[in-house]
Amino acid sequence: MQAAGTNSRKSENLPEKIYISTVDALYSDGRSLFVGSLSAIVAALVTYWKSGEPALLACALATVALGVLRIAEMRRYAGSRPDTIEDARRWEARYIRMSGANVLVLGVWCFLCFALTQDAAIHLISFSMVLAYLLGIAGRNFSSDRLVVIQTSCAAVLMIGGLLYQNSIYYHFLALLFVPFFISIRIIATRLRNVLFDAVIAKHDIESLANRFDTALTNMPHGLCMFDGQKIVVVTNGRFNELLGLSADIDVRGMHADELCAACIANGMIPPARSERFTSRFMEALANPKRKSVSLPLQGRKTLQLTFQPMADGGSVMLVEDITERRRAEAKIERLARFDTLTGLPNRMTFTERFEYELSSRNSALAVLFVDLDQFKQVNDTLGHPCGDALLCEVADRLRSVVRRGDVVARFGGDEFVVLQNPSDGTESAALLARRIIQAIEQSFNIDGHQIMIGASIGIALSPGDGNSTGQLLKNADIALYRAKADGRGVYRFFEPEMDETARARRILELELREALAREEFEVFYQPIIDIKTGKPASYEALLRWRHPQRGMVSPGEFIPVAEEMGLIVDIGNWVLRKACSDCTIWPSDIRVAVNLSPLQFRRANVVAVVADTLKETGLAPHRLELEITESVLMDDTEAAGIALQKLRDLGVTTALDDFGTGYSSLSYLHAFPLDKIKIDRSFLEDIDTDKKALTLLRGVARLSAELGMSVVMEGVETNEQLAVLVKEGSFTNVQGFLFGRPMPVANIIDLHGLDQPSARVA
Ligand code: C2E
Ligand code: CA
Ligand code: CA
């Protein structure tokens, strides 16, 4: 800490307080003024008595008057001491005038004594009197340089004048001798002033430094306690007492460190059980305080941190900090890092640590159950995230309630929960727990007044059979879960090595599929859709083919569902659309192209914009493009689907409902959406030769669709008999199937219609 101060000795530069106190000093010495004045008056009266000169009596009387005035002035000053620098300056000026007048009168008296008389005694009395007064000036008025200069020079001129007035060489010599004396009076006064001001300023600086230090000590958030080399407390601040629970009026200064510890223990801040340990640690830290920190758990969940810092003189400074909040925040961060904030369950990290510990420390079996909620996504989507969150919390509670003590339930994120079980009876008890979990989750939930039904699928892996590392076991449980979900949800499956094989194959397929588009391994084949009246192709349906470098042609049935799950179908589908549109441009103008759209393309990509752009890019007339969609598109988001279909119709593109009869087959869709065509799935054809009911159903759908103004396509026509039935029925506008042609490369269409090979094709 440093205190800013001034070392200049000029009164104008003095700090206000000090300047005012110098003015105080001028007015304070009433007694010396009184004595000085009194002796001057007596001396003047003596000179008058001896000489009989009335002028000298006048001088005596003037001195009396001035003395009275000055004493009155001093009284006044005492009554209204200045508190501003301006007031002080005014008082100083008044003092200078008064005492200047006083010296002037004395000087004149001395001069007159020399001018009017030849009496050596009178000369001696007056001269020495004024001289003594001058010495008094240096002693009394040194604080004001101005005053000293005015008084000294005024008196000196008159005294020297008096000496010179006498016609005596000795008097003249004396006058000469006195010049340096007058100068030295000023020097003495200046030196005195400097010494005094230095001392006063230094005192002032020290005081303000001490004040600032005190303010800093009082206001610092830490408690501070300074020990000397003998471990005696020399300085503390208020916060120190507060933090250690010592009452504010206990002054610990002067206490030995031992006594201080005892006081802390006595007031109950340090729990009795820890008191001994506290004292020994405290004393040890104090004995060799190399920036040592001791944290101190107190009564009432408070924690203090004591930091010791050695000082040069062998003592040390101890800082006391309340770290309760910091500790709490650290604990909270730790909790956030280790536990799921929503459900309070351990998170993946915590689970894995525990799992690793269990694996390494016990020889018996462990079961990992990977639990995934069925239909959770729908709840989240339809009822909103807050509802989904509340559901997850309830699921967590139910899981906690079905496991035994020692089992661990964790949440890995989303709707994935994992249970670590110590199965007493291997597979059997793991299966039992899985069943209990499924049953618990299947019970309906009541969330914000909604009755919610969900289910759970579970995959189980057991150590050591299914692996002996956490990674391996978790992975295998996940694979088993995958199988459980594929097997119809609401079931549990134990991991089996073949599952791993399937999963591996699937992973490879995913990897290859990701590359296939870039490696140009896809091709589009076309299958004719025949106009039932003319028997000629009305359009070709674009069907995707994957020419795999090792496996040859891979069926779309195998890879499209995977591409759909991966989201890759959007890019692939857009590529097919562009390729099909581009191919169609070179076909006869009355032949159209049909392209299958995945529900994901409908949901994710802005399908209308993509179609419009593709048509523009390839130059295909919109009416030559037909998009085949499935029911799931209409079910997903009915309103958005309706809008998109209408926009496609506005573009001039037609839409067909594909695979009718395989899914939900709601007849209401036919009415509700702007669809141009319906494609009836080939499964309808299977039994029409033998089953009368099947034929009735097919007829019903076909007629209804025709009546709604839609074209009706029958897919999968393979025999002439089937065709005959369809022709006879009369509601069908188109047929498609192996009977008319299998899906084929675009080159075949070009040959079939006697077209030239296109010079450049859009890929
Ligand atoms: P889909 O849209 O129903 O296509 C008709 C499927 O029936 C084709 O199978 C076709 O080869 C087959 N098929 C045609 N006539 C007959 C027949 O007389 N008898 C039999 N048994 N089958 C016949 P493919 O090419 O294997 O395609 C399977 C499915 O893959 C398609 O069914 C379609 O859903 C999907 N798909 C194909 N290409 C694409 C595409 O580019 N995008 C999308 N999103 N899906 C596609
Ligand atoms: Ca189709
Ligand atoms: Ca179909």
Side-chain angles (χ1 to χ4, degrees):
M1 204 184 309
Q2 270 207 327
T6 170
N7 285 319
S8 163
R9 284 89 171 234
K10 282 254 163 79
S11 67
E12 308 85 74
N13 295 335
L14 288 177
E16 186 174 311
K17 256 172 70 190
I18 297 182
Y19 173 67
I20 293 175
S21 70
T22 64
V23 177
D24 274 347
L26 291 179
Y27 279 98
S28 64
D29 203 356
R31 227 173 327 146
S32 83
L33 177 74
F34 180 75
V35 173
S37 293
L38 194 64
S39 35
I41 292 163
V42 171
L45 285 174
V46 168
T47 56
Y48 163 66
W49 170 75
K50 198 148 186 274
S51 66
E53 284 290 343
L56 300 184
L57 177 65
C59 288
L61 293 177
T63 310
V64 171
L66 274 169
V68 171
L69 267 179
R70 288 186 69 188
I71 285 166
E73 186 88 340
M74 278 185 168
R75 290 254 166 86
R76 258 222 307 277
Y77 182 87
S80 63
R81 211 184 144 262
D83 38 31
T84 66
I85 197 126
E86 288 75 26
D87 277 353
R89 285 203 198 290
R90 247 192 331 274
W91 278 107
E92 187 190 12
R94 274 165 81 158
Y95 186 90
I96 291 174
R97 276 200 299 278
M98 284 293 207
S99 66
N102 208 343
V103 171
L104 188 67
V105 170
L106 289 179
V108 168
W109 169 59
C110 177
F111 179 78
L112 289 177
C113 286
F114 280 83
L116 299 178
T117 72
Q118 293 300 324
D119 188 329
I122 289 176
H123 292 171
L124 186 66
I125 290 171
S126 65
F127 197 86
S128 50
M129 190 66 233
V130 181
L131 205 60
Y133 196 86
L134 275 187
L135 280 175
I137 285 174
R140 199 168 49 241
N141 298 347
F142 65 88
S143 63
S144 171
D145 186 42
R146 217 154 28 121
L147 189 52
V148 171
V149 170
I150 290 173
Q151 292 184 334
T152 318
S153 34
C154 180
V157 166
L158 288 163
M159 288 165 82
I160 291 171
L163 285 173
L164 293 179
Y165 198 88
Q166 286 289 324
N167 203 4
S168 154
I169 182 90
Y170 298 107
Y171 275 48
H172 294 178
F173 175 67
L174 199 61
L176 205 66
L177 270 185
F178 268 98
V179 172
F181 170 76
F182 292 127
I183 294 170
S184 72
I185 285 184
R186 189 187 169 201
I187 293 172
I188 291 168
T190 305
R191 193 175 307 141
L192 256 176
R193 186 172 56 252
N194 283 350
V195 170
L196 179 87
F197 281 5
D198 280 354
V200 169
I201 288 171
K203 183 167 169 257
H204 175 263
D205 286 354
I206 287 168
E207 266 171 16
S208 69
L209 188 71
N211 276 339
R212 284 174 206 169
F213 188 60
D214 200 50
T215 314
L217 268 187
T218 324
N219 293 309
M220 64 193 271
H222 296 79
L224 178 139
C225 181
M226 196 185 276
F227 295 91
D228 66 10
Q230 276 67 51
K231 301 193 177 64
I232 305 284
V233 178
V234 284
V235 175
T236 58
N237 62 356
R239 186 85 179 117
F240 176 77
N241 282 34
E242 205 179 299
L243 284 174
L244 285 169
L246 299 165
S247 103
D249 40 69
I250 295 184
D251 189 355
V252 294
R253 279 176 304 175
M255 276 189 188
H256 188 267
D258 278 332
E259 293 173 273
L260 184 64
C261 287
C264 292
I265 294 165
N267 72 8
M269 274 301 260
I270 286 118
R274 293 204 208 107
S275 59
E276 237 169 73
R277 198 171 124 74
F278 162 68
T279 311
S280 69
R281 281 180 69 201
F282 187 97
M283 296 311 288
E284 188 217 301
L286 193 59
N288 36 33
K290 279 195 198 102
R291 263 203 182 283
K292 242 192 199 159
S293 278
V294 176
S295 53
L296 187 62
L298 300 182
Q299 212 74 282
R301 296 170 154 265
K302 264 179 78 136
T303 310
L304 295 185
Q305 186 170 48
L306 315 183
T307 310
F308 295 85
Q309 169 76 43
M311 293 193 301
D313 65 357
S316 50
V317 178
M318 175 176 78
L319 281 179
V320 185
E321 194 183 350
D322 185 347
I323 55 165
T324 314
E325 276 312 311
R326 202 204 300 164
R327 278 283 153 89
R328 251 179 228 154
E330 280 166 4
K332 189 169 173 200
I333 289 168
E334 160 94 2
R335 219 173 24 252
L336 285 179
R338 304 191 60 84
F339 291 88
D340 170 39
T341 35
L342 179 66
T343 60
L345 290 177
N347 61 12
R348 184 190 290 266
M349 184 181 95
T350 313
F351 179 88
T352 315
E353 274 175 19
R354 172 72 185 274
F355 192 6
E356 254 156 25
Y357 169 76
E358 295 281 339
L359 267 183
S360 61
S361 65
R362 84 174 56 227
N363 296 322
S364 57
L366 279 174
V368 198
L369 292 86
F370 228 116
V371 183
D372 189 276
L373 303 183
D374 304 330
Q375 288 99 33
F376 175 72
K377 197 179 156 339
Q378 282 89 320
V379 174
N380 233 358
D381 288 352
T382 51
L383 299 177
H385 287 275
C387 203
D389 285 353
L391 178 62
L392 289 173
C393 290
E394 294 238 347
V395 167
D397 287 344
R398 289 191 189 178
L399 288 176
R400 279 192 196 105
S401 70
V402 294
V403 299
R404 274 200 316 238
R405 268 179 71 103
D407 294 348
V408 186
V409 182
R411 178 173 173 235
F412 275 18
D415 57 346
E416 276 183 10
F417 293 86
V418 185
V419 180
L420 181 65
Q421 188 200 18
N422 296 313
S424 49
D425 184 15
T427 325
E428 200 33 60
S429 39
L432 207 69
L433 176 59
R435 276 197 292 275
R436 279 214 305 275
I437 292 174
I438 291 172
Q439 271 169 15
I441 306 293
E442 271 172 359
Q443 306 297 314
S444 81
F445 290 85
N446 185 345
I447 309 275
D448 295 341
H450 299 285
Q451 289 296 322
I452 299 173
M453 300 288 292
I454 56 169
S457 301
I458 301 176
I460 309 168
L462 287 158
S463 80
D466 299 337
N468 44 25
S469 71
T470 55
Q472 185 76 36
L473 285 161
L474 281 170
K475 196 192 94 191
N476 288 345
D478 193 26
I479 290 172
L481 170 66
Y482 192 79
R483 171 61 59 87
K485 285 205 279 193
D487 286 356
R489 295 163 187 272
V491 295
Y492 64 89
R493 290 287 177 265
F494 281 96
F495 172 77
E496 284 159 21
E498 313 83 81
M499 290 181 188
D500 196 17
E501 210 29 69
T502 321
R504 191 171 302 143
R506 155 85 187 221
R507 261 199 308 283
I508 292 170
L509 182 68
E510 285 182 5
L511 284 175
E512 289 176 337
L513 204 50
R514 237 180 255 286
E515 312 263 274
L517 201 58
R519 289 191 189 156
E520 300 185 9
E521 289 169 4
F522 290 123
E523 278 173 41
V524 179
F525 274 32
Y526 295 95
Q527 185 182 32
I529 300 174
I530 306 295
D531 184 331
I532 206 164
K533 287 207 186 88
T534 62
K536 289 186 175 153
S539 58
Y540 289 95
E541 178 176 1
L543 292 163
L544 184 59
R545 294 291 177 265
W546 181 11
R547 198 180 291 280
H548 190 278
Q550 284 90 43
R551 293 160 62 193
M553 230 25 131
V554 183
S555 145
E558 195 180 325
F559 70 85
I560 282 187
V562 180
E564 234 146 25
E565 271 178 38
M566 294 168 69
L568 212 61
I569 192 67
V570 176
D571 288 344
I572 298 176
N574 290 347
W575 177 82
V576 173
L577 180 69
R578 184 133 40 91
K579 179 81 170 80
C581 288
S582 158
D583 284 348
C584 182
T585 52
I586 56 161
W587 301 342
S589 61
D590 58 337
I591 293 185
R592 311 167 65 223
V593 69
V595 179
N596 294 285
L597 282 191
S598 148
L600 211 63
Q601 275 172 283
F602 237 79
R603 233 183 287 142
R604 281 229 197 128
N606 182 357
V607 75
V608 182
V610 170
V611 169
D613 287 352
T614 311
L615 288 171
K616 212 160 132 201
E617 260 174 54
T618 55
L620 184 71
H623 73 270
R624 295 183 68 190
L625 175 63
E626 184 156 79
L627 299 173
E628 297 192 1
I629 58 164
T630 51
E631 270 178 316
S632 57
V633 168
L634 309 178
M635 286 160 70
D636 276 352
D637 184 349
T638 314
E639 206 183 315
I643 294 171
L645 287 175
Q646 187 55 52
K647 283 189 179 161
L648 289 171
R649 177 171 279 186
D650 293 345
L651 273 181
V653 175
T654 54
T655 45
L657 185 62
D658 202 358
D659 300 340
F660 191 82
T662 53
Y664 204 58
S665 307
S666 168
L667 291 170
S668 65
Y669 289 141
L670 306 182
H671 178 60
F673 293 99
L675 297 161
D676 303 288
K677 193 181 262 184
I678 177 168
K679 295 185 80 175
I680 299 172
D681 191 74
R682 67 186 155 89
S683 56
F684 271 81
L685 276 182
E686 272 163 20
D687 305 318
I688 54 164
D689 309 331
T690 50
D691 188 349
K692 267 225 156 5
K693 270 197 203 148
L695 185 60
T696 315
L697 191 63
L698 178 62
R699 262 191 203 139
V701 174
R703 282 184 193 170
L704 181 72
S705 310
E707 268 166 35
L708 286 170
M710 286 189 274
S711 311
V712 184
V713 187
M714 189 65 236
E715 290 186 313
V717 183
E718 291 181 354
T719 63
N720 279 312
E721 289 74 29
Q722 289 171 334
L723 179 64
V725 173
L726 299 171
V727 172
K728 198 173 151 214
E729 160 49 36
S731 305
F732 292 91
T733 50
N734 299 80
V735 278
Q736 178 181 6
F738 293 166
L739 182 63
F740 314 100
R742 290 181 175 258
M744 58 195 164
V746 68
N748 294 25
I749 302 178
I750 291 168
D751 288 347
L752 248 142
H753 293 273
L755 301 165
D756 288 338
Q757 283 284 356
S759 50
R761 278 196 277 150
V762 182

